[in-house]
Amino acid sequence: MQKQVFKILAKVNKAILPSYSKKQLDLSKANKLQLAIIGWRVYVTKNALD
């Protein structure tokens, strides 16, 4: 059940949130909001795959 929720969240993230890897964002120059978005995407992806 929980894994399905994270898979749905991962699809929503992909559709709505920006992809900083495609924009080649340097993590050392990212602001707090960008780092929060990256962290959220990592958290959701990790739980969707696990």
Side-chain angles (χ1 to χ4, degrees):
M1 175 69 184
Q2 185 180 10
K3 189 172 182 178
Q4 291 175 340
V5 172
F6 280 107
K7 284 189 177 196
I8 293 169
L9 273 175
K11 288 181 183 181
V12 171
N13 284 349
K14 186 174 183 179
I16 295 176
L17 296 177
S19 175
Y20 293 120
S21 61
K22 289 181 183 176
K23 295 179 182 178
Q24 297 180 348
L25 176 71
D26 186 11
L27 289 178
S28 64
K29 296 180 181 177
N31 62 30
K32 298 284 185 184
L33 179 61
Q34 291 170 328
L35 290 174
I37 291 172
I38 292 167
W40 172 252
R41 289 186 73 155
V42 168
Y43 173 74
V44 170
T45 302
K46 179 183 173 288
N47 286 305
L49 294 175
D50 198 25

